[in-house]
Every structure is written in C-alpha cells, then in structure tokens.
Amino acid sequence: MKLNKEILLHKEQLTAEGFALPEYDPAVVKKATQAEPVWLQLGAGNIFRAFLAGTAQKLLKDGLTDKGIIVAEGYDYEIVDRLADYDDLTVNVTLRSSGDVDKEILASITDYLKMDPDSPDFVRLQEILRAPSLQLISLTITEKGYSLVDNQGQLTGPVAEDFRNGPKKPISYMGKIAALLFTRFEAGQLPLAVVSMDNMSHNGEKLQKTLLHFADEWVKNGVAPKAFAEYLGAGKQVSFPWTMIDKITPRPDPSVEALLTKAGLSEMGPVETTKHSFVAPYVNGEETEYLVIEDTFPNGRPPLEKAGVIFTDRQTVNQVETMKVTTCLNPLHTALAVFGCLLGYTSIHAEMKDTDLASLIKKLGYDEGLPVVVDPKIIDPKQFIDEVIQVRFPNPYIPDTPQRIATDTSQKLSVRYGETLKAYLRSDTLSVSNLKVIPLVFAGWLRYLTGISDDGTKMALSPDPLLDQLTPLFADFRLGKPFDTELLRNLLADEQVFGVDLNKIGLSATVLKLFTEMSSSPGAVRTTIQQVLAS
C-alpha cells in the first residue's frame, strides 16, 4: 500500500497492523481549512510533523476543531515536491523507551505550499494572510533561519536587496515572512499571533526584532508606511509569543522504514534533497514532548491545551526555555555530539553506555547547570535532567546520532553555554574559574574542528555555516605535534560564537590547555575527559 488518500480505504488492514487512523474525514477538514484557514505553519521539518501535526490531529479526533494546518516551506522547496506525492499524509512513528512502537497516520496537514514569490503558491499564501479567520503562524525553521548577516556580520545579499525593494518580491526567508505580514496589514491590520517554536531563548522577541528590522528599513526607503512598523511593534494587533518546545525527532531512519514496509506500506524510503534535507513520508521521534507557550493570541487560538500544550505567562516560558536550552538538555546533547564524534560513536544511546560520557553530562547538568536554574514551577528542573539522562538519551530505539546533533554547533554554543557563563559572572557566590566541563566542551569542539578523531583517523565534520572560516585555523594541526594555540585566541574572544569573550573572563587559558592535552596523542581525548572528571 502506498501512502496516499486511497490507503484510508484499507482501514481494517491498517488497524490490524497497529496503525492509529484519522477519526474524521480528511477531505471535509481540507475543505473547511481552505475556506477559513486558522493555522499556518512555516517549515515542514521533522519536529513539526512529529509534534505539532500530531497535536492538531488530537484536536480533530476529539472534535475540538474542524480545521487542519497549512504548511509553507521557505528554504527547501524540494521537500514540498516530495511530500506532495503522499496526498499530505504523514506516518508518525513514536519509539518508546519500553520498546513499544506507536504508528499513526496523520491527516491534519491540509496543504504543502512553497514560499516562492514566483509560484502560484505565494498567491495562495497571500490569500491566507488576508483571511480574518487566521489565528496563528508558527515557525520551526531552526536558529540559523533568523540571521540576517553573513559570517563577517554583513547583511546577506538577499536581505540587503529585500531592504531596498520592499515587500513586492522578497527573496530572503525573513523577507518573505515580512512581506506576508505586510499583506495582512494591507488587508485591514488584521490581528494575528506569530509564534516561533525554534530552540532559542526569547525566541518570540528575536523574531519580532528581526521582522521589525525589515519594517523599519522599508519605512526608511519609502516602500512601506510607518503604520506597518507600528503594526508589528506595538504587540496589540500582532503578538510574538515566547515558547519552549522539546521533542527529539531524528532524521528518518532506515530501521523505521523497514518496520513500516513490514507492516504493508510501500515506497517509504527517506530521500536527501539537493540542499541536504532528509525527507520521508514518515517521521520518527521519542515519546516525551513538551510545548510551553506564552498565552497572547490577539485573534484567538485553537484549544491546544486540550492536547497537552501548556499556556502560561512570558516569565514562566522564559524560565522553562532557559532551563532546557541553556542547562538541562541542549548543553548535554552538544557535549555528547562533540565527544561522540571524536570517540567514533554513531548513536546517542550508545554513548550513554560509556561511563565516561555519562558521568561527563551528569557533572555538566547537575553540578554546573542546576546552580543557575530558576525553577519555573510547572516543570521541576532536577526531574527534567533525571528524565533526560535516565530515559530520553539512553532510549535504544531512538536512532539519533552525534553527527546530527553536531550540525551548526557554532550557532549553538553561545546559547547553550554562554548564558550559563553569564549567570556565573553575575553571581555573588559562583565563579567561572570553578567550571570544569564547560571549558572541556569548548576545548573538545576545537579538537573536533581538526577533523581528526581520537584514534587518529580522519572524520567528516557536520554542516556548519562557519566551517569555511574555522577549519583553516587548524590547517597545520597534526596529532601529537606542537600546535600554535595562539592562532585560536581571536576565535575564543568571539562573543557571537561563545556568548562571552573567553579571554576577558579568564577561561581561554583553560580551554587551550585542555585542547593541547587532547591533541597530544591518539587516545588523549578520552584520557583528558577522565582527568577532568577525577579532578
């Protein structure tokens, strides 16, 4: 059976194979959604399809809404082409730590559109933005999607061009979003919530500032009225709620494809696009999921709390997000990514059987992270770390890899560790000089950038927008040979990368010492980890 609308005619066979099915008519939902759209999602990635689309399906099954989600992809249009072959259906596979597998066919996505101004899809998107019924636009486009500058801090060409030309024919991702919001402004300054669900502290604030930058430039260049900037900036007609989202959703894994094929589905294989996105008619993820949202929606919202979403105030969202991203999960993940690659691991759960690495992230989370966490009350920080270390990371059925987590590390360090460093610097009782694991992770990342694993063999580096700038620093690196670490001083001073100037706060000497120790011979990475843990 191929995954398309005809497959739902095989209800008995699918149910016998353990699939949960839509308990509503997808065609009716699609028609209602097209007539009165409520929810537009930007980004067709795994966490959206495994989490948000599943959340919408719960509301549809319980009769709490009759509208689905329209999805627009603004980075990799090939994803839309691929997913269109499956009549907007997705198989959501939940891989539980018990070994149980949940399989559900989702029909809550009603359309996939391209954010391409040269495509008829963009006309459809403009129609959606003019609809008074539209309540929210959600985004899962990753941290790097918000940047307007290149590696040298200069505006990228597409952004500079969009600033000049205005909303008529945008080419940058954020320019396209700003142009769509301008369409809604022209339709009568209609209310809307624009909801970033990307892994960044203060994500709503960052999104608003980015879009206001476009509005201000357009006003300055005479291609938009001042009222447009006021529309985005006042927070009354257009809100930008802060959020925290958490669910591990790795790339589509061949083992899951085999499971679905055995259950009777065909043509389920993942495909890598020319832009190196991995897309399949299924998504796979863990059972644990959290979504906390600041409850500010000027045009109303779906009753997502009935599907497990937590709505609260901005301060609480900020505390939960800070807890997760800067101390209790993401820093641990990045540590496993860096050292997992160096030590030759290809799965996160296998790393958790390594007593050195398990001890390392425990020390990072409990000893160095928890002291600066503000308890958000709605989620207990220690219990959150307990769940991460005892259940989530060791889950042998989640096919996640350190190589995936190591992607874009240069864009993550400032948030995942820099915020903790700033908290230590502000504290009257804590000192950065007492930190051991955070400097070790920084040194490990430098060692990772050499492209030489701990056993002395070459290893591939994961994609990162700064690789072309960073790898030349290690051109003369030879394992076991002297290396001039002074070449790295400017990098360690880069607050864009580390969140703080490591030279100024006195950590660079420790980082360079640990890097040198890890570079002394094959096996030195593990030896250095053991020495730090024993100190």
Side-chain angles (χ1 to χ4, degrees), residues 394-424:
N395 185 342
Y397 306 102
I398 293 293
D400 211 357
T401 69
Q403 290 74 24
R404 182 187 80 90
I405 304 300
T407 300
D408 301 334
T409 298
S410 71
Q411 309 298 292
K412 299 172 179 176
L413 295 175
S414 64
V415 174
R416 298 186 179 189
Y417 302 99
E419 295 304 312
T420 295
L421 292 176
K422 292 174 186 176
Y424 270 73

Side-chain angles (χ1 to χ4, degrees), residues 157-212:
V159 169
E161 191 170 338
D162 284 349
F163 280 177
R164 289 191 301 270
N165 296 338
K168 292 295 184 184
K169 200 171 183 181
I171 51 179
S172 69
Y173 203 131
M174 283 292 156
K176 295 171 189 175
I177 299 174
L180 289 172
L181 292 173
F182 186 72
T183 298
R184 192 163 183 80
F185 165 79
E186 288 191 311
Q189 302 190 33
L190 300 174
L192 184 70
V194 188
V195 191
S196 169
M197 295 183 185
D198 285 298
N199 273 320
M200 305 180 296
S201 297
H202 302 187
N203 48 16
E205 179 181 58
K206 291 177 181 177
L207 176 59
Q208 183 180 27
K209 285 183 177 179
T210 299
L211 293 172
L212 271 173

Side-chain angles (χ1 to χ4, degrees), residues 1-12:
M1 296 178 289
K2 183 179 177 180
L3 185 67
N4 56 34
K5 60 185 178 182
E6 303 299 326
I7 200 173
L8 299 177
L9 299 176
H10 303 277
K11 183 175 181 179
E12 290 186 5

Side-chain angles (χ1 to χ4, degrees), residues 239-397:
S239 68
F240 295 87
W242 296 15
T243 70
M244 187 283 283
I245 191 168
D246 182 21
K247 183 181 178 77
I248 298 173
T249 53
R251 290 173 181 167
D253 191 78
S255 66
V256 177
E257 176 195 355
L259 180 151
L260 295 174
T261 300
K262 185 178 180 181
L265 302 188
S266 61
E267 301 178 37
M268 299 299 289
V271 174
E272 182 177 2
T273 70
T274 54
K275 287 190 172 182
H276 306 295
S277 301
F278 289 83
V279 61
Y282 65 89
V283 284
N284 40 237
E286 65 172 338
E287 62 204 277
T288 302
E289 56 186 30
Y290 297 97
L291 179 54
V292 184
I293 305 179
E294 177 189 2
D295 198 0
T296 169
F297 288 76
N299 202 31
R301 59 171 176 78
L304 294 168
E305 69 277 7
K306 301 291 181 63
V309 176
I310 300 171
F311 287 94
T312 185
D313 57 81
R314 175 171 291 192
Q315 181 180 0
T316 304
V317 174
N318 185 44
Q319 291 169 347
V320 174
E321 175 69 15
T322 301
M323 177 197 77
K324 180 236 174 184
V325 173
T326 72
T327 54
C328 296
L329 190 150
N330 295 78
L332 282 60
H333 231 175
T334 292
L336 288 176
V338 168
F339 289 115
C341 291
L342 284 166
L343 296 175
Y345 283 102
T346 55
S347 70
I348 295 293
H349 66 78
E351 287 188 74
M352 292 303 294
K353 297 178 181 178
D354 186 313
T355 55
D356 292 332
L357 296 182
S359 297
L360 181 78
I361 65 167
K362 287 176 184 177
K363 190 174 184 67
L364 175 61
Y366 294 119
D367 296 352
E368 297 188 358
L370 270 184
V372 300
V373 171
V374 177
D375 187 351
K377 306 302 181 185
I378 60 173
I379 300 174
D380 180 81
K382 183 181 180 301
Q383 290 179 6
F384 188 87
I385 297 183
D386 290 344
E387 184 181 47
V388 166
I389 291 176
Q390 297 170 18
V391 178
R392 300 177 68 183
F393 286 178
N395 185 342
Y397 306 102

Side-chain angles (χ1 to χ4, degrees), residues 78-92:
E78 193 176 342
I79 292 175
V80 174
D81 294 330
R82 296 285 181 181
L83 295 178
D85 291 339
Y86 305 101
D87 290 342
D88 304 324
L89 298 177
T90 288
V91 182
N92 188 16

